[in-house]
Amino acid sequence: MIDLTGRSLLSLRDFTKEEILYLLDLSDRLKKEKKEGIYKKRLENKNVALIFEKSSTRTRCSFVVACFDEGAHPEYLNRGDIQLGHKETVEDTARVLGRMFDAIEFRGFSQKHCATLAKHSGVPVINGLTDEEHPIQVLADLMTIRERFGTLGGLKLVFVGDGRNNVANALMIGAAKVGLDFVIASPSERFPDRELVEECTNYAKENNSTIRLDDDAGRAVAGADVVYTDVWVSMGEEGKEHERATLLRPYQVNRELMSCAKETAVFLHCLPAVRGYEVTEEVFESAASLVFDEAENRLHTAKAVLVALLGKGNL
Ligand code: CP
Ligand code: NVA
């Protein structure tokens, strides 16, 4: 039996395929319960700190609603509210929060800070996006793909655009862990770090799947089941808009690029989207676009993660 009690979720690289599938199964179950109006309050009397150094709609709202649905109290702490890393070390903030809260969600810049919070707080820490990774987004993405296709293994997922951003990194890890064939379509300047690709290639091999990098978007998307993109300029990269728009223009997800994918292919985007840049209005609004199912699934997966890490996943 899988038991994730007390674990942190800093990266999906720390989770086995079975553990990831367990979280997806739990997400499905919690989604069904909510649709049926069943609220089991599995997190009653729990307090969850939500640290946000960067802005957020989906992550913040999904954690707040997940907490309330399960009877927990969420406390939102933004950059101006606390002294994290300035005037107080991350270690000390972690030790204080760990004395008061049962879990911590962290959205910020540094993956190291996220790990430091986990090490020193003594409570589960959930990565709600760093410069390097966005693992809980990927849980919602995998949930959405499985809902549509009924399976994950054997499908081809292509991430098009900025191939070395947090979402691309996390998606590559998640895809490799569950056995999706994964392709990054981006200019070689924006290919992911070689060590990460090697690590993911090893995970993929264990699942008879593949990881590939391609600087030709049309060739990469050929035969895809899922075409995924994200913004060309991530939070913290302000000032790079012009450079990225020039570099990534050939990687826009538009009708022509979607026509290279399978007829049954779907379009995903973690959101927020900048229409007219990484994706056209036409594709974003098309029948193939599952972006709002994907956004909704952020709630069910955030809830599953909280319930599982706080030890109530089997109730
Ligand atoms: N996809 C995602 O994480 O959205 P937010 O930045 O709005 O949280
Ligand atoms: N890559 C984007 C994801 C937003 C959810 C960013 O970091 O801004």
Side-chain angles (χ1 to χ4, degrees):
M1 197 186 75
I2 289 172
D3 182 3
L4 302 180
T5 311
R7 295 265 299 271
S8 285
L9 200 174
L10 309 179
S11 166
L12 288 179
R13 57 165 37 110
D14 304 328
F15 287 73
T16 63
K17 177 180 183 175
E18 290 68 33
E19 288 168 343
I20 294 171
L21 295 177
Y22 166 82
L23 286 170
L24 298 184
D25 290 345
L26 184 57
S27 305
D28 287 345
R29 196 169 111 211
L30 295 174
K31 180 171 185 173
K32 187 166 174 284
E33 281 183 10
K34 186 169 169 82
K35 302 277 174 205
E36 290 169 356
I38 298 167
Y39 293 93
K40 294 195 178 169
K41 304 286 178 197
R42 295 170 175 89
L43 302 177
E44 213 149 31
N45 299 323
K46 300 289 183 189
N47 293 289
V48 182
L50 306 177
I51 302 177
F52 282 85
E53 295 183 324
K54 293 177 177 173
S55 46
S56 167
T57 300
R58 281 142 290 269
T59 305
R60 176 179 177 174
C61 297
S62 61
F63 274 91
V64 167
V65 175
C67 283
F68 280 118
D69 279 356
E70 290 294 344
H73 166 76
E75 186 64 29
Y76 176 73
L77 302 163
N78 76 23
R79 199 170 166 72
D81 291 332
I82 57 170
Q83 315 277 20
L84 188 79
H86 47 100
K87 266 191 113 177
E88 184 169 60
T89 62
V90 178
E91 288 84 347
D92 286 353
T93 303
R95 289 157 75 188
V96 173
L97 295 180
R99 299 284 183 114
M100 300 186 188
F101 290 94
D102 299 287
I104 300 169
E105 175 280 342
F106 173 78
R107 162 167 291 200
F109 296 88
S110 164
Q111 181 80 13
K112 267 198 191 126
H113 283 182
C114 198
T116 303
L117 282 172
K119 185 169 174 203
H120 294 276
S121 66
V123 297
V125 170
I126 301 157
N127 180 354
L129 178 148
T130 62
D131 290 346
E132 285 176 37
E133 285 213 36
H134 197 2
I136 49 167
Q137 174 65 49
V138 172
L139 289 177
D141 301 336
L142 296 176
M143 179 182 183
T144 309
I145 294 169
R146 202 172 68 158
E147 274 178 344
R148 167 56 65 108
F149 294 101
T151 181
L152 291 169
L155 297 175
K156 178 176 174 181
L157 164 60
V158 184
F159 180 94
V160 187
D162 180 8
R164 53 182 299 116
N165 79 7
N166 41 18
V167 171
N169 288 341
L171 206 52
M172 181 160 63
I173 297 168
K177 285 270 179 171
V178 300
L180 283 161
D181 286 326
F182 183 75
V183 187
I184 292 265
S186 80
S188 55
E189 298 95 300
R190 301 301 298 168
F191 279 170
D193 278 343
R194 202 144 42 105
E195 300 82 62
L196 182 61
V197 176
E198 276 168 21
E199 183 185 337
C200 290
T201 302
N202 289 334
Y203 300 145
K205 271 186 197 146
E206 288 167 19
N207 294 303
N208 300 318
S209 66
T210 54
I211 303 289
R212 215 161 54 73
L213 313 179
D214 198 330
D215 63 4
D216 183 298
R219 187 171 59 205
V221 166
D225 297 286
V226 183
V227 180
Y228 194 122
T229 192
D230 182 16
V231 289
W232 288 345
V233 180
S234 289
M235 291 180 278
E237 296 187 319
E238 291 74 18
K240 295 208 182 293
E241 287 78 2
H242 180 70
E243 172 195 323
R244 289 283 168 77
T246 310
L247 183 68
L248 297 176
R249 184 66 187 78
Y251 300 87
Q252 181 188 62
V253 179
N254 50 34
R255 189 193 337 176
E256 195 190 337
L257 188 62
M258 284 301 288
S259 73
C260 300
K262 282 189 185 154
E263 242 174 71
T264 49
V266 297
F267 169 72
L268 296 183
H269 190 312
C270 55
L271 305 182
V274 190
R275 299 169 199 215
Y277 284 79
E278 74 272 10
V279 58
T280 57
E281 175 83 15
E282 187 183 23
V283 170
F284 188 89
E285 295 294 347
S286 69
S289 173
L290 300 184
V291 296
F292 295 106
D293 291 327
E294 185 185 5
E296 179 193 327
N297 286 339
R298 290 295 307 277
L299 167 62
H300 310 298
T301 45
K303 196 185 285 181
V305 167
L306 285 170
V307 163
L309 303 187
L310 292 173
K312 304 285 182 168
N314 296 312
L315 283 189

